[in-house]
Amino acid sequence: MRGAKNAKKRLWLWRWRNNPLRRHDDIVEAWIVLAVWAFVAVGGAVAGTVTAQAADEVFARQRAERRPVHAVLVTSVPKSAARGGAADDRRLATVRYTAPDGSTRAGLTRVDSGLSAGTSVVAWEDGRGRLVSEPPSAAAAGVEAAVLGTAAACAVAGAVVGAGAVARWRLDERRTALWGREWDLVGPQWGHRTG
């Protein structure tokens, strides 16, 4: 049992063991692979965490800054026709609302379709009185922050793995060229070639 564990350990670290067939490029490749995995693990985790926290802060700021206001539709919004599958039954419409400074303003916001002019609707405004979209709920913001964090981690991991693959490809090209040169030196000593 102990011999099997030592054999696995030797197999795992074969690139660093002394071996007469080991070349410098083998050691370089081993370090590249180790660095790639380290950067994927650490860099991906850091990028994902930072992105998720930044997105969550943005969504929290939106929830804190935006407030609902009562608005009145200026024009009627026709009922939308469902086109294959689930249709979004919200459309942009012009509404009239009162800004924080007390002035009456008009602007575009998304409302349910099928409403007539003069209907009271809820719109969302920022601290400067501009109409904005409704901020995501805490649960929706958490999901979106997690998705953005995962995407950032995958992007970093993909970039690092791609860079590692390019480096290993260049090493393979170099090894192939070296083997070709060595074969050109040793091949004629073997005598008659076929073909």
Side-chain angles (χ1 to χ4, degrees), residues 25-113:
D25 289 348
D26 295 330
I27 297 171
V28 171
E29 183 177 19
W31 283 108
I32 288 172
V33 169
L34 182 65
V36 164
W37 283 111
F39 280 119
V40 164
V42 175
V46 169
T49 302
V50 168
T51 301
Q53 287 176 346
D56 201 36
E57 289 173 10
V58 167
F59 296 139
R61 188 172 47 243
Q62 285 178 354
R63 285 192 302 277
E65 291 174 352
R66 296 178 181 184
R67 66 183 185 93
V69 293
H70 294 288
V72 177
L73 276 175
V74 174
T75 58
S76 296
V77 182
K79 189 80 173 160
S80 62
R83 291 177 254 152
D88 183 16
D89 61 347
R90 295 180 60 83
R91 292 186 163 189
L92 281 177
T94 304
V95 295
R96 192 175 48 248
Y97 64 101
T98 305
D101 63 3
S103 63
T104 301
R105 296 185 183 174
L108 290 174
T109 192
R110 293 185 74 73
V111 296
D112 293 332
S113 62

Side-chain angles (χ1 to χ4, degrees), residues 145-168:
V147 168
L148 290 171
T150 302
C154 289
V156 167
V160 170
V161 168
V166 168
R168 290 181 71 194

